Amino acid sequence: DVRMSAMRALMAEEDLVQSMREALNGAVFQLQGPVNLISAAATMQERRDNASKGGLALLSALNQALSAGQQALNTLRACIPHSPASNWEHINVNRVLREVLSLSTEQLLQKGIVVDWNPTPTLPSIYASERRLRSMFKQLIDNAMEAMSAHRNGVKELHITTLLVSGNIRITIEDTGPGIPENIRLKVFEPFFTTKSSSGRAGMGLSMVQDVLSEHAGTLEIDPSYTVGTRIVIELPLRQGKDAE
């Protein structure tokens, strides 16, 4: 329908902006290390006896390289597109998740993934940014689809449930992929970390998801007891700081 078409176009635009942000932030991250090394080398050289012609020439070359590197960093940072402003309102988490699943239906069918969608029928609304939550849920569902596509053995099932637990809305997303090894469960939250070996994108791991949850005073846990794939448990409080408005 018209709403879904508009939402699909909006999310495609947001995905493009996010990809550009990832690529440029990744470039800044990669360039910052060498610039820091040049800065340290210039500082060390400056502290030495630079009376010799060779010492002064080396210091001049290091300073020129440092200046060029810093200018390149400033140019890259200026090119990073800003995320669109988020409107906060009372929203229904079940509806947002259902719409994300609808947007992903074609991919799910192509990959042969069976979806078990089990929402609690009546959930209270939460005060949140619908755009940010939609992007977060899509990122998690995309991650699950990619994990199951890479894991060719066994059934491909995606289980999503919502519950009201002690004043929080709990969203559980389970997949039957290869799971996340214990030794990288913390690394997946780091910027620019990715387990994707052939992706065209820089890969932000769960860093973006963590940013969205921080904005909403929410939490995320990768369940270590789940052994048939990955189980991610998200909790969103019914009330946060912005709800005081």
Side-chain angles (χ1 to χ4, degrees):
D1 60 17
V2 175
R3 174 178 169 77
M4 294 302 293
S5 296
M7 194 179 304
R8 189 172 287 107
L10 178 63
M11 293 203 72
E13 182 180 350
E14 289 180 356
D15 193 55
L16 177 60
V17 171
Q18 182 65 23
S19 295
M20 292 176 63
R21 287 177 59 83
E22 288 179 15
L24 290 170
N25 276 311
V28 169
F29 182 79
Q30 294 293 331
L31 186 56
Q32 187 67 62
V35 169
N36 290 344
L37 288 175
I38 294 172
S39 177
T43 300
M44 290 176 61
Q45 183 65 24
E46 194 171 9
R47 289 174 180 172
R48 294 176 178 173
D49 181 8
N50 292 318
S52 67
K53 184 176 180 181
L56 291 173
L58 176 58
L59 179 60
S60 176
L62 287 171
N63 283 330
Q64 288 180 33
L66 179 59
S67 177
Q70 289 173 335
Q71 184 175 353
L73 281 171
N74 291 336
T75 300
L76 285 172
R77 290 191 182 104
C79 291
I80 296 174
H82 296 289
S83 295
S86 297
N87 294 322
W88 285 63
E89 57 189 337
H90 288 89
I91 65 169
N92 185 288
V93 170
N94 282 342
R95 177 179 60 78
V96 176
L97 272 165
R98 186 172 60 249
E99 289 174 347
V100 172
L101 283 171
S102 296
L103 290 170
S104 303
T105 297
E106 185 176 346
Q107 287 178 282
L108 290 163
L109 290 172
Q110 287 175 350
K111 296 176 186 295
I113 297 171
V114 177
V115 177
D116 176 27
W117 166 230
N118 187 27
T120 293
T122 304
L123 282 178
S125 63
I126 65 171
Y127 194 69
S129 164
E130 182 172 335
R131 180 185 65 80
R132 293 287 279 163
L133 287 188
R134 188 184 296 114
S135 294
M136 178 185 74
F137 291 141
K138 186 174 186 302
Q139 179 69 55
L140 291 171
I141 291 171
D142 285 350
N143 286 351
M145 286 194 292
E146 290 189 23
M148 287 186 281
S149 295
H151 190 54
R152 300 186 182 278
N153 299 325
V155 296
K156 299 176 182 178
E157 295 179 349
L158 179 64
H159 302 270
I160 303 177
T161 62
T162 61
L163 288 170
L164 180 62
V165 181
S166 302
N168 294 330
I169 291 180
R170 178 179 296 170
I171 303 104
T172 305
I173 301 175
E174 302 172 357
D175 67 60
T176 55
I180 301 175
E182 185 177 355
N183 63 319
I184 65 168
R185 279 186 189 146
L186 292 179
K187 285 183 175 292
V188 295
F189 294 98
E190 297 176 0
F192 316 114
F193 178 83
T194 180
T195 58
K196 304 168 190 175
S197 58
S198 60
S199 172
R201 293 176 57 171
M204 293 293 281
L206 293 177
S207 176
M208 182 275 282
V209 172
Q210 192 64 59
D211 287 345
V212 175
L213 289 171
S214 295
E215 293 172 8
H216 293 80
T219 61
L220 181 149
E221 178 191 6
I222 299 173
D223 187 349
S225 67
Y226 194 70
T227 58
V228 294
T230 300
R231 174 190 283 151
I232 288 178
V233 181
I234 290 172
E235 293 206 356
L236 293 168
L238 297 180
R239 302 181 64 84
Q240 327 94 23
K242 289 205 173 193
D243 203 16
E245 294 177 357

